[in-house]
Amino acid sequence: MSPVVPVLARARRLRTRAVVTSTVPSRVDAAVLARAFRAAPRRPLTHLVLAAPGSGNIGDQALTEALLENTDGPATLVLTGAGAPGLPAELAARVTPLALPELVYGTGPAHREDVAALGRALAGAAHLSVIGADVMDGRYSLPASVRRSSLAATASRLGVDTRVVGFSWSDRARTAARRSLADAGAAGVRLLLRDPVSAERARRDGIGPVEETADVVFAARTTDPSAADRLLAGVTAPVALVNVSGLIGGRLDQTAEYATVVEALRERGLHVLLVPHVARPGTDDVAACTAVAERVGAPVVPDLLTPAQVRGLTARATVTVTGRMHLAVMSLLHGVPAVTLATQGKVEGLMRLVGVPELCVEPGPGMGDAVVGVLDRVLPAGSPARAAVRAALPGVVALARRNVEGLAAPVPAGRAA
């Protein structure tokens, strides 16, 4: 690679950051959105949901489905990434997809066209819910974080009931993302943080008002045992679900560490099933899980499951080890301890919420032995960790349902608004 290429890439990143920080793009977006909104017929009949980034991620899919499961009436799902989620039939029957691929990540005329399309859709919406997840603090994509916040702020100023649903906040949030989210809060957007650590960080950054909730996936209402029946047919031993994160694998050779974990679980009499949670270029769990499977000879789920099928697996598990937070959430939802590798500062708050901070392990050399040490404390049926999770769960589910408070079903078509 030419030494000029990294320099040019860095220059582009700095230029993009400078433009975003200037707030000029946000002001242009606000003007385009407002103009399209005011020109369209105003009859709020739907719930507009700005989905998490895209397909290939069970966690993103689980967030979208859990939100929709806990509301009723017609909904419009705004898709900003590649591919459309395959919603369960009962949701697909009342959810209309709206593909706006340039809305969050695009530039130029195509981006402005998608902003205008969002404005027209807002004119027919009673509510706007932005699924915040871990994409609001600018750590993954600063322009995308700023756009989500600024679009939400404009929608609220136009009179649409707007919220950012259960999301994390980093202790290293980018300045422009922080300012944009603070502006959204000042505009009346409900900021629903999904754990107490994130809420503390947001308040410390001058963002408010914030409301403490839990991840909306804790409010999921469906479980599908079909994959568990197939993958665990004939298994009589207790089951351990193990996820190997392709995201963590991008900066750490995990294979030997996970081999230590799998061997320890087997020595303790557990059947190990390797479960990928994300299948995207550059962060692919399927490849990461397969590498461990080839090393230790454990079975691996060959394709991504649906969120309900994952919950069917976690309902059969005794323990989970994961590098992906939403596999932890769906395990904890069934009272199953989930030893979770900390990424992006979002796991610490989750484990404080369920009262078992020791389930959070920092990824790095030697993490295999660290995970085994935690497993030995949580595996016994009467362990304090299991008792703590069971005791905390009803309160956590109630917090998760705060994400959907006030989302009354829009007026059905054919009735006066």
Side-chain angles (χ1 to χ4, degrees):
M1 179 185 295
S2 166
V4 175
V5 174
V7 173
L8 291 175
R10 185 171 186 273
R12 283 194 294 269
R13 288 196 300 272
L14 291 173
R15 182 180 61 198
T16 299
R17 186 176 302 174
V19 171
V20 170
T21 304
S22 75
T23 74
V24 171
S26 295
R27 293 200 299 272
V28 172
D29 284 355
V32 172
L33 188 74
R35 185 163 54 247
F37 176 89
R38 293 179 178 126
R42 177 81 176 116
R43 190 163 182 247
L45 298 176
T46 190
H47 175 199
L48 198 63
V49 178
L50 183 57
S55 59
N57 186 319
I58 296 174
D60 287 354
Q61 181 82 6
L63 286 162
T64 299
E65 290 185 13
L67 177 64
L68 293 169
E69 284 175 359
N70 282 276
T71 59
D72 54 13
T76 298
L77 184 62
V78 179
L79 305 170
T80 63
L87 293 176
E90 60 273 19
L91 295 180
R94 62 180 178 85
V95 175
T96 301
L98 175 61
L100 300 179
E102 304 297 321
L103 179 69
V104 172
Y105 299 102
T107 57
H111 166 68
R112 291 191 292 275
E113 287 174 9
D114 278 2
V115 173
L118 180 68
R120 292 189 291 272
L122 274 172
H127 311 282
L128 170 63
S129 294
V130 177
I131 298 180
D134 53 4
V135 294
M136 299 304 297
D137 55 26
R139 298 305 306 176
Y140 285 116
S141 168
L142 179 60
S145 296
V146 170
R147 279 178 173 165
R148 288 186 180 91
S149 293
S150 62
L151 291 170
T154 303
S156 185
R157 291 188 174 107
L158 290 169
V160 179
D161 172 65
T162 303
R163 66 190 64 200
V164 182
V165 173
F167 64 102
S168 302
W169 193 250
S170 172
D171 59 354
R172 296 178 293 118
R174 306 278 182 160
T175 299
R178 185 172 67 243
R179 290 173 179 167
S180 187
L181 189 68
D183 180 62
V189 177
R190 291 184 64 186
L191 305 178
L192 303 163
L193 279 296
R194 67 182 173 187
D195 66 78
V197 173
S198 290
E200 289 168 6
R201 291 168 177 165
R203 293 188 185 104
R204 192 164 57 240
D205 282 344
I207 296 165
V210 302
E211 302 175 50
E212 293 188 28
T213 68
D215 193 287
V216 72
V217 176
F218 277 112
R221 296 178 178 273
T222 56
T223 297
D224 179 355
S226 62
D229 291 343
R230 171 172 51 87
L231 294 164
L232 299 176
V235 174
T236 57
V239 173
L241 304 179
V242 175
N243 162 263
V244 188
S245 164
L247 178 65
I248 296 174
R251 61 179 188 269
L252 172 70
D253 183 2
Q254 307 173 92
T255 305
E257 303 289 353
Y258 269 96
T260 297
V261 173
V262 172
E263 290 163 5
L265 287 165
R266 285 173 165 169
E267 288 170 0
R268 289 152 180 78
L270 282 87
H271 174 83
V272 175
L273 180 65
L274 292 160
V275 185
H277 215 63
V278 172
R280 286 178 177 167
T283 60
D284 184 25
D285 291 8
V286 177
C289 286
T290 300
V292 173
E294 291 172 349
R295 172 78 171 262
V296 299
V300 58
V301 180
D303 301 299
L304 295 190
L305 303 176
T306 69
Q309 287 173 330
V310 171
R311 290 190 289 273
L313 274 179
T314 61
R316 295 273 298 273
T318 295
V319 73
T320 295
V321 178
T322 177
R324 299 291 184 176
M325 192 185 81
H326 277 104
L327 182 55
V329 169
M330 289 191 275
S331 299
L332 294 165
L333 181 57
H334 288 293
V336 176
V339 184
T340 309
L341 300 178
T343 57
Q344 294 292 334
K346 61 188 179 181
V347 177
E348 297 89 338
L350 169 66
M351 295 313 175
R352 186 197 292 186
L353 196 62
V354 296
V356 195
E358 62 267 30
L359 292 179
C360 182
V361 174
E362 193 68 28
M367 71 181 191
D369 290 332
V371 168
V372 172
V374 178
L375 286 170
D376 281 337
R377 295 198 296 275
V378 305
L379 275 173
S383 70
R386 292 183 186 277
V389 171
R390 288 194 296 268
L393 190 55
V396 173
V397 172
L399 283 173
R401 289 176 179 158
R402 286 187 185 177
N403 287 287
V404 297
E405 284 179 356
L407 290 178
V411 178
R415 287 174 50 185

